[in-house]
Amino acid sequence: HATTGVWLLGCKIEGVLVDFCIDYQPSSNGGFDTILIAINTYGEIWEFSLTRSGKVIRKWKDHGGVAITTIQVGGGTSSAQLLPGKKIRSNRWLATGSESGFVNVYDRNGSTEKAAATLDQLTTTISSLEFSPDGQILCIASRAAKDALRLVHLPTGTVFSNWPTSGTPLGKVTSVAFSPRGEMLAVGNEQGKVRLWRLNH
């Protein structure tokens, strides 16, 4: 507990846990459920309800996913937007990144039997996945190579060709974040620089 420091509950998966993210889903009583989504290196995904004492509500496999490095949800309410009185929106998208550079994007409103999009524009380890607040853009990046960052339009899965360009000074990207309304993108790199880009879409 953040205030008392008292241990609340634990969630356990099989294998090596490589990443996790938090999803929020509206419930029938007007509240919401907090969902912990964890993934191991083999692409096995567990979804735990933290509202219901860590109960496993779903377990599934990232199809084709091997050597997974990161997972993220987007297109709904994030932890940064969780404010009293504000309506909770379910996250539509879930993305996984791997050591080979492949990114699978799933539509959480549909089936997880098949990815809505498989992205192969980067060929090195995916280290960052970040959705814009409205879920229309997915930013993927790898810190293993210089200027390895792409913006992907959703739901089409189309990579924006007009930015970044070959002259965009990104460096080796270590962190990315969208502003709360999605009009700006912050990109941090190994040189300790953070550049703020205005998105004119």
Side-chain angles (χ1 to χ4, degrees):
H1 191 280
T3 305
T4 64
V6 174
W7 183 87
L8 295 175
L9 60 93
C11 300
K12 188 178 188 311
I13 71 170
E14 298 166 11
V16 177
L17 190 153
V18 291
D19 199 14
F20 66 89
C21 58
I22 300 292
D23 190 14
Y24 300 98
Q25 296 178 351
S27 60
S28 56
N29 60 6
F32 63 90
D33 289 336
T34 303
I35 312 298
L36 171 69
I37 305 173
I39 190 167
N40 66 16
T41 50
Y42 302 113
E44 296 170 331
I45 299 168
W46 282 259
E47 299 189 27
F48 301 92
S49 172
L50 301 186
T51 312
R52 289 182 273 167
S53 303
K55 178 184 177 184
V56 177
I57 54 175
R58 197 168 168 214
K59 181 185 174 186
W60 55 285
K61 180 89 166 66
D62 175 27
H63 299 279
V66 290
I68 299 298
T69 56
T70 185
I71 189 170
Q72 189 58 264
V73 290
T77 299
S78 69
S79 296
Q81 302 161 328
L82 195 64
L83 300 170
K86 192 170 181 182
K87 186 178 179 182
I88 300 296
R89 295 181 301 121
S90 294
N91 283 289
R92 177 176 179 183
W93 306 109
L94 182 142
T96 62
S98 66
E99 285 184 7
S100 61
F102 278 90
V103 174
N104 284 333
V105 182
Y106 295 89
D107 187 340
R108 287 176 68 73
N109 294 338
S111 170
T112 55
E113 293 300 314
K114 185 180 178 185
T118 297
L119 311 168
D120 60 358
Q121 285 74 24
L122 299 182
T123 56
T124 51
T125 300
I126 302 298
S127 51
S128 297
L129 292 172
E130 192 71 29
F131 289 92
S132 62
D134 61 7
Q136 292 188 35
I137 299 175
L138 170 62
C139 180
I140 61 175
S142 171
R143 69 185 302 171
K146 190 177 178 185
D147 302 331
L149 180 145
R150 300 290 183 272
L151 295 181
V152 182
H153 176 262
L154 294 173
T156 64
T158 306
V159 175
F160 288 90
S161 58
N162 59 342
W163 194 88
T165 67
S166 57
T168 305
L170 297 173
K172 289 189 174 181
V173 176
T174 55
S175 183
V176 296
F178 286 94
S179 60
R181 291 192 298 275
E183 76 278 19
M184 292 189 178
L185 175 68
V187 180
N189 64 25
E190 282 190 353
Q191 287 74 43
K193 294 180 179 178
V194 179
R195 289 184 172 92
L196 193 61
W197 304 93
R198 184 178 295 280
L199 305 177
N200 292 322
H201 70 287

